[in-house]
Amino acid sequence: MTASQTELKAGGLKLAIDGEVATVTLARPERRNAMTPAVWHGLAAIGASLPAEVRVVVVRGEGPSFCAGIDLRLLSGEGVPGEEPVTSAADADFDQRVAGYQAGYLWLRDPAIVSVAAVQGHAIGAGFQLALACDLRILADDAKLCMREPALGLVPDLTGTHPLVGIVGLPRATELCLTARTVTADEALVLRLAELVVPGAELDAAVSDLVAALLSVDTTAARATKALLQQASRNTLSEQAAAERRAQADLLSSRLGRP
Ligand code: ACO
């Protein structure tokens, strides 16, 4: 069962599933796709109900910006009509509630899929973290990335610090977060925050080309390889070599139809 229309509507999300490819679209361009708890819950519901045959998930935003981050009305106290308030330290279940928001991001790392963020315009705060949650990022040349949370008196807590440090390294991640400065598409390419930068008009075509290339390799091998790559940085060389042997044995055994 896929995420319900109610969950998608509440989060201003669109979901299109075409065989092995799912496209998730943040679709509140009039608010630059600003995020609320309903968006994070909707994303989590999509992840929890993704059909098993889906191999690639594209995450995109409608309008001029990929995502302007958290809806600032949630932070100002104004609130967003019809939306639950964002959790505060006064809530006894604060940890659980934030974990619920993070669930909207974490599924994008599942080895069963490759997630691709298609980023045009701004990706700020929670929106930058959504792009970081994806395995790969293709940026339009007008893309602007910013981890604004520290400037607003917050830490980034939507799972973005782990991939950020992994991609750009600790010193650069420290500099980017603690200055809350904006990274342009050109710099993002240098910092490896983008696999590719293309003119805005070519973003969709570039994403389609990448999706086709990702689908061209063997499904089971792709899933096993992603799982292997994900553990490489925390394993020693000999642990990783052993993991490769195990993964290969499992893969070849699965083709023989035995456990
Ligand atoms: N929350 C709520 N509304 C927003 C947000 C936001 N994060 N971002 C944009 N909007 C609204 C604007 O208020 C405006 O609404 P209005 O038409 O009713 O006035 C509409 O979206 C369009 O915004 P503009 O600022 O006019 O659009 P522009 O394209 O010029 O700028 C930009 C886009 C750069 C994203 C700008 O809107 C911005 O800086 N937004 C705030 C970003 C931010 O600080 N986010 C929080 C990060 S921290 C975190 O996510 C935890």
Side-chain angles (χ1 to χ4, degrees):
M1 198 180 68
T2 53
S4 75
Q5 286 305 318
T6 314
E7 286 164 318
L8 296 177
K9 192 163 176 239
L13 296 166
K14 292 180 185 168
L15 172 64
I17 297 180
D18 181 8
E20 296 178 308
V21 183
T23 302
V24 180
T25 304
L26 307 179
R28 284 186 180 140
E30 70 286 357
R31 283 259 165 214
R32 302 299 183 262
N33 303 318
M35 297 173 120
T36 62
V39 178
W40 301 321
H41 296 324
L43 289 170
I46 292 171
S49 59
L50 209 60
E53 62 268 29
V54 170
R55 294 181 55 195
V56 178
V57 175
V58 176
V59 180
R60 54 187 295 280
E62 275 183 11
S65 299
F66 175 73
C67 175
I70 193 169
D71 193 310
L72 290 169
R73 291 172 297 175
L74 293 167
L75 300 184
S76 68
E78 179 189 348
V80 178
E83 289 264 1
E84 71 178 67
V86 75
T87 190
S88 80
D91 296 326
D93 59 351
F94 177 85
D95 190 73
Q96 201 184 338
R97 298 262 303 270
V98 178
Y101 306 157
Q102 291 174 332
Y105 292 67
L106 287 171
W107 64 275
L108 291 159
R109 278 89 161 186
D110 190 322
I113 58 165
V114 181
S115 48
V116 179
V119 180
Q120 81 288 359
H122 290 89
I124 304 178
F128 182 24
Q129 294 188 71
L130 183 62
L132 285 166
C134 293
D135 297 309
L136 305 171
R137 283 151 290 280
I138 298 191
L139 269 50
D141 54 7
D142 70 341
K144 293 183 184 63
L145 313 177
C146 174
M147 198 69 94
R148 186 161 293 166
E149 285 82 347
L152 299 177
L154 298 167
V155 298
D157 66 351
L158 292 165
T159 78
T161 57
H162 191 278
L164 183 65
V165 171
I167 295 167
V168 305
L170 180 56
R172 182 61 72 189
T174 304
E175 183 261 329
L176 292 180
C177 292
L178 275 58
T179 63
R181 76 174 172 88
T182 296
V183 174
T184 62
D186 285 346
E187 186 185 4
L189 193 59
V190 174
L191 294 180
R192 297 182 301 165
L193 286 165
E195 274 55 61
L196 186 65
V197 173
V198 296
E202 294 170 23
L203 183 60
D204 289 347
V207 170
S208 296
D209 287 350
L210 176 61
V211 169
L214 290 166
L215 293 178
S216 71
V217 304
D218 179 83
T219 306
T220 317
R223 288 173 169 165
T225 302
K226 180 173 167 185
L228 204 48
L229 293 171
Q230 283 180 324
Q231 50 183 298
S233 64
R234 63 173 187 271
N235 280 347
T236 63
L237 179 58
S238 64
E239 286 167 344
Q240 185 68 7
E244 290 175 0
R245 296 194 296 275
R246 275 195 307 276
Q248 196 74 293
D250 289 348
L251 184 64
L252 298 176
S253 300
S254 72
R255 300 230 173 88
L256 294 174
R258 47 184 179 86

